[in-house]
Amino acid sequence: MLTVFGTIALDTTRTPFHTVEKTLGGTATFASISASNYVFTSIVGIVGHDFPASYLDLLKDRVDIRGLTISQTGKTFHYDSSFGYDLSKRTTNKTELNVISNYQSTIPEEYVDSEYVYLANNDPLQNMNILKLFSKPKLIICDTMDFWIMNRRDEVIRMINKVDGIILNESEAKLLFKESNIFTCARLLGSIGPTFAVINKGENGSLLFYENEFYPLPAYPIEIIRDPTGAGDSFGGAFMGYLSQQGKLDSKSLKNAMMHGNIMGSFAIEDYGIEKLVNVNADDIKNRYEKYKEIFSF
Ligand code: AMP
């Protein structure tokens, strides 16, 4: 089983074309919905009393939510961000941690022997604590973002040391190491623990660093982008989901995982919040995968 730990959020997202307020988002939401296309996926996290029942139902339809805590006293994590006409640059307006700030994660007994654990972007201390609850995961991958790098850098480094793989985006990798070269960042990530590192570059694709080699991959071309929120998490979920389904770790499966990551990321950005992601089916993924491969054959 794959267990995903991260935020389950209400997102307010503003673009020059449209604003969505308090819609379902969060790193664990995007990652687990994306991963559920590949393997049985469970989710661990906390929401508040203001979390709409319809969102609970939506999650329940796709993933195992026995690891979800509903606080009767606090409010759900809320993330407010804006994009300008350049949809690749996000500005954070507000991060209201609410229920996640003092969350002591627990996991249901049924999740203890999860072989695959994905630590979606979240408080690095909480990420490290939850790892102690699993009996012996085969593969642990984590993600992080600017908020935690700026506020908890030491813990972020310690967390990276405890995982097999890390996925993060280009600006975050550069911020983490105060380094301008993406290849150097990937090598540095490898040097602090993980077997592999993936750095996402948005519409410029992604870079895998594994066994001392670099593997760049272009992004799947998408012309109509409505909301880039959740692209990284959808990438991470699909990447992890694919590896869990394959049950092996080598350069071929990692490269394929990266293709699936890009494919699910490309679906996520085509509509606001999780709108598009929840409606993707196996045929959509297969068709996009075939088309993606075609792009490389000449
Ligand atoms: P991304 O894949 O980077 O676009 O992630 C977007 C998601 O991250 C949003 O749905 C937010 O709810 C969530 N998020 C934003 N800030 C944080 C944070 N500091 N910690 C955890 N999750 C966050």
Side-chain angles (χ1 to χ4, degrees), residues 75-77 106 208 230:
K75 284 171 81 176
T76 304
F77 174 80
T106 53
L208 166 69

Side-chain angles (χ1 to χ4, degrees), residues 6-13 23-30 77-81 83 90 92 94-95 97 100 120-123 143-148 151 169 172 227-235:
T7 50
I8 297 129
L10 295 177
D11 283 349
T12 296
T13 307
T23 191
L24 176 59
T27 58
T29 303
F30 284 104
F77 174 80
H78 176 225
Y79 182 62
D80 184 323
S81 69
F83 295 88
R90 173 167 59 198
T92 296
K94 238 188 298 175
T95 302
L97 296 176
I100 74 153
N121 171 31
N122 202 356
D123 180 334
D143 184 0
T144 191
M145 78 188 283
D146 50 2
F147 181 87
W148 302 111
N151 295 306
N169 78 29
E172 289 152 3
D227 174 11
T229 311
D233 308 309
S234 307
F235 177 104

Side-chain angles (χ1 to χ4, degrees), residues 38-263:
Y38 301 88
V39 281
F40 182 78
T41 306
S42 58
I43 193 169
V44 178
I46 183 164
V47 294
H49 55 78
D50 54 344
F51 194 70
S54 58
Y55 290 171
L56 263 186
D57 289 342
L58 198 150
L59 284 171
K60 212 189 300 176
D61 270 356
R62 298 296 296 252
V63 296
D64 181 332
I65 62 162
R66 282 174 297 176
L68 187 65
T69 302
I70 303 171
S71 161
Q72 296 310 326
T73 50
K75 284 171 81 176
T76 304
F77 174 80
H78 176 225
Y79 182 62
D80 184 323
S81 69
S82 307
F83 295 88
Y85 286 98
D86 178 354
L87 288 175
S88 67
K89 289 199 176 62
R90 173 167 59 198
T91 305
T92 296
N93 305 320
K94 238 188 298 175
T95 302
E96 294 174 322
L97 296 176
N98 297 333
V99 286
I100 74 153
S101 50
N102 293 310
Y103 175 49
Q104 305 279 337
S105 51
T106 53
I107 56 172
E109 221 179 294
E110 294 85 351
Y111 293 12
V112 172
D113 59 358
S114 292
E115 291 178 301
Y116 299 92
V117 178
Y118 185 66
L119 303 173
N121 171 31
N122 202 356
D123 180 334
L125 262 183
Q126 289 187 19
N127 273 351
M128 283 189 278
N129 284 337
I130 200 172
L131 278 188
K132 296 179 195 144
L133 307 176
F134 294 99
S135 54
K136 209 167 175 280
K138 260 178 37 190
L139 182 68
I140 305 166
I141 301 183
C142 78
D143 184 0
T144 191
M145 78 188 283
D146 50 2
F147 181 87
W148 302 111
I149 296 170
M150 287 187 292
N151 295 306
R152 304 260 175 89
R153 186 178 181 277
D154 291 351
E155 286 94 334
V156 167
I157 298 280
R158 278 201 283 130
M159 170 184 77
I160 296 173
N161 178 257
K162 295 199 178 325
V163 300
D164 304 295
I166 168 137
I167 301 173
L168 79 178
N169 78 29
E170 183 175 9
S171 62
E172 289 152 3
K174 289 176 176 170
L175 178 71
L176 182 64
F177 295 115
K178 298 189 171 54
E179 169 59 58
S180 60
N181 185 288
I182 186 177
F183 298 103
T184 308
C185 287
R187 202 180 280 288
L188 284 168
L189 283 168
S191 74
I192 57 173
T195 310
F196 65 88
V198 177
I199 299 183
N200 279 327
K201 303 182 288 168
E203 63 195 5
N204 296 317
S206 31
L207 173 74
L208 166 69
F209 180 66
Y210 175 64
E211 291 189 330
N212 238 4
E213 296 289 344
F214 296 110
Y215 301 97
L217 182 74
Y220 186 88
I222 294 291
E223 266 190 275
I224 298 175
I225 301 176
R226 293 215 162 82
D227 174 11
T229 311
D233 308 309
S234 307
F235 177 104
F239 187 93
M240 185 68 176
Y242 179 81
L243 288 177
S244 316
Q245 184 198 62
Q246 298 298 305
K248 58 182 178 200
L249 196 76
D250 52 28
S251 61
K252 189 168 179 210
S253 45
L254 283 166
K255 282 190 264 182
N256 262 310
M258 215 159 48
M259 285 184 75
H260 282 276
N262 273 302
I263 288 169

